[in-house]
Amino acid sequence: MYDLTGFQRDLLYTIAGKEEPHGLAIKDELEDYYEKEIHHGRLYPNLDTLVDKGLVEKGQLDRRTNYYMLTSRGKREIEARREWEDQYVDL
C-alpha cells in the first residue's frame, strides 16, 4: 500500500465501506469527504490502477455501469495499513 497515493487509499477505504459500489457512488462519497468535485478523469484512472494492482475487482452491473469490490489482497493491505497506523496513533 506504500506505493499508493492518498487518493487511491481513500478509494480503497470507500470501496471497503460499501457493498459493491458503482463508480458514481464512490465519486459521491469522496466528493462529500473532500468537499469538492471529483472529475471522472481523476476517478476512473485511479480505480483502474487499483484493479491493475490486484487490490480491487471490477465487475459489470449492466452495459454502462461497473461495480467495484476489494479483493482478498486489498483487504489484507487495508488491515496491514491499519496495524501500521495503530503503532503511531493511540486514540
Side-chain angles (χ1 to χ4, degrees):
M1 174 128 21
Y2 64 88
D3 62 337
L4 299 181
T5 65
F7 184 73
Q8 290 167 342
R9 282 193 298 269
D10 291 344
L11 285 170
L12 272 184
Y13 290 133
T14 301
I15 293 167
K18 300 283 185 185
E19 188 170 326
E20 296 183 355
H22 53 81
L24 290 178
I26 297 167
K27 180 179 179 289
D28 289 343
E29 286 289 324
L30 289 176
E31 286 178 341
D32 286 346
Y33 178 69
Y34 285 123
E35 297 180 346
K36 67 179 186 177
E37 184 178 359
I38 304 295
H39 297 283
H40 292 262
R42 181 178 186 199
L43 177 68
Y44 291 103
N46 280 288
L47 285 169
D48 288 340
T49 297
L50 297 175
V51 170
D52 292 344
K53 290 181 176 286
L55 301 171
V56 170
E57 181 180 313
K58 178 167 77 170
Q60 194 169 23
L61 291 173
D62 57 43
R63 291 179 49 176
R64 295 190 53 186
T65 308
N66 294 320
Y67 68 86
Y68 299 87
M69 58 188 267
L70 293 184
T71 62
S72 297
R73 180 175 173 220
K75 291 174 186 174
R76 286 192 309 271
E77 291 289 336
I78 286 177
E79 289 171 9
R81 173 70 183 207
R82 292 189 68 158
E83 288 174 11
W84 179 81
E85 289 173 348
D86 285 347
Q87 69 181 330
Y88 297 105
V89 180
D90 183 22
L91 301 175

